[in-house]
Amino acid sequence: MNGNSLKFYLGCGVALLAALLLLGSVQNEYVFFASYVVLQFIVLAIAWNILGGYAGYVNFGTSAFFALGGYSALFMIKAFAAPLVVQIIVAAMFTGVLGLGIGLLSLRLRGIFFSIATVAMAIICETIITNTEFLGGAKGVQMTRPDPIAPFTSYTKMLFFVMAIMTIAAIIIARYIENSWIGRGLRAIRDNEEAAECMGVPTLRLKLIATVISGALMGAAGAPFPMYMSFIEPVSAFSLNYSVSALAMPIIGGTSSWLGPVIGAVLLGTVQQLVTVTISSELNVLIVGVLLVFFVVAAPQGILGLFKKRAEAPKPAAGGAAK
Amino acid sequence: MSQSAGQILLKVDDVSKHFGGFTALSHVSVEVAQGERLGLIGPNGSGKTTLINCISGALKNDAGAIVFKGENLNGMPPHQRTRRGIARSFQIPRPFHSMTPVENLAVPLEYVTHRGAAHKADIRGEAESILSDMGLGDKMNAPCAGLSQVELRKLELARAMAARPALLISDEAMAGLSNAECDEVLAILFRLSDKGITIIMIEHIMHAIMRFSNRVICLDAGKLIAGGAPGEVVKNPDVQRAYLGA
Ligand SMILES: Nc1ncnc2c1ncn2[C@@H]1O[C@H](COP(=O)(O)OP(=O)(O)O)[C@@H](O)[C@H]1O
Ligand SMILES: [Mg+2]
């Protein structure tokens, strides 16, 4: 492990410790209720960025992956009374398979056509769920939370901690991809897919790896959602806000590395939470939209880009061992 | 040159390609020997790039077979053909634009040449040495956006070379370049040929074709209409008609 990796994993440890400290010291439930949402957006933004940022395939259907994650969990609860961990795993597997389907679409569809297909996919998924009585149909399902598992004193706190762990896992996965042969190949695909393929990059396999991981992470982020709200119904689960935010956060933060989506999600997620409390949640999409336009125009490389320009040190060697 | 000179490296066997009702290639057959320098000429739209696309796998030929080192490549995706030794440059340069030239070369070095081995430092060193060979030594860590046309063409060739091909296909690497720049690119291709690499050169610039090729073939409207020594082919009445229009 080199110095950078050591620092990175130390950072992950510190973040986890901070989450535990917060759990031990803060009593106000709202803190966890709100932080959960920010963490959830970090996972969504990182997941989106694996496909959208690294490979350049813009997914407009994040809401479908998120909602199907939640509905997979609901299914597991209703059918098997499965515990939270199982809900999350099944949700990730299911949306991973959905990701595979989206990945196969990329065989034929590039650019805006791929993006349009993801929108269509989201609409189809929402329609199916709305018409599935077992999953509550259009009116949704009310749920009662089980007791939290010790040592957690409330279910919200427990969900917060679970989401914190998922966030760190997502960051570790994204960083691994970025620094591996997979990430370098995806970058070549983003720059020019034909040239990448002709230069030996197995583009289809890499795109499928990206769509599956991205989809699975989105589904995992959505899995605890029914329990978090104690309720799930299609309109809010498939909310446009997830699709727009998951795309806006990496673009605002910077798409070149995992840190970009984290910065963007913390920033935008926090602003959204503040606006929801002080004004109204209706304003969220508007705020995201305005910030997105601002950044696309003023800082196309995102916040990361602004810093990188200042500290353009000699770059580390490109390439490395392929698998 | 090499002991295997004269052996057939690539065999294009009765290849056809249609786009809808349009026939871009019609029963094209050609054999390329190990170490050969083959010139491919033909008017615009005659199917030269399409033939290259069928050989490199970017397009699937509808009929016939592409046989390389005795292996039928039909149905094989391009990245595997590259790993077997076919590399190409693109007519319109397609650099990985967010990367430096060194990083551009690192892609084939990592995915083809040193698959499963090699350290970052080796790859960087090798990329730098290829780029220096190609005369891009002073630009290799600058962003690609700053490269001139001739530098982009050289980068195309350098990146193809990084895959250590047995067969290099150069698609109009000299189009739009000045005479001096053409000579530079031609010199590069000659050096690669001296190393034993088989080269198919697509070019419109006749003096370059004449100087470079051991043999020239001419495509017109998707059909091979002539093939042979460069001097003969340019004098061929069919070729002259194709170029001058009938
Ligand atoms: N992907 C494609 N779809 C449809 N038509 C194509 C495609 N690629 C090439 N063509 C057509 O095939 C013909 C041959 O093109 P090309 O091989 O690029 O010619 P050349 O390289 O000799 O100038 C042209 O008429 C061109 O319009
Ligand atoms: Mg052409």
Side-chain angles (χ1 to χ4, degrees), chain A residues 198-209:
Chain A
C198 276
M199 287 300 123
V201 178
T203 55
L204 178 61
R205 197 165 87 207
L206 289 188
K207 286 189 295 183
L208 293 180
I209 291 173

Side-chain angles (χ1 to χ4, degrees), chain B residues 62-73:
Chain B
D62 303 329
I66 306 290
V67 180
F68 184 72
K69 292 180 181 167
E71 184 185 10
N72 187 340
L73 302 186

Side-chain angles (χ1 to χ4, degrees), chain B residues 199-234:
Chain B
I199 298 178
I200 299 179
M201 181 170 91
I202 301 182
E203 215 47 73
H204 277 306
I205 300 166
M206 273 307 160
H207 70 85
I209 283 280
M210 301 290 286
R211 263 169 67 196
F212 184 76
S213 316
N214 308 126
R215 181 161 65 104
V216 172
I217 55 174
C218 180
L219 269 176
D220 181 33
K223 289 194 179 72
L224 268 187
I225 55 166
E232 290 167 26
V233 171
V234 288

Side-chain angles (χ1 to χ4, degrees), chain B residues 17-20 22-25 40-53 59 91 171-172 202 204 219 221-222:
Chain B
K17 176 71 193 174
H18 306 272
F19 296 113
F22 176 77
T23 303
L25 291 174
L40 171 53
I41 61 172
N44 274 328
S46 58
K48 302 182 296 297
T49 300
T50 303
L51 180 61
I52 297 327
N53 282 336
L59 291 174
Q91 184 170 353
D171 194 352
E172 300 202 29
I202 301 182
H204 277 306
L219 269 176

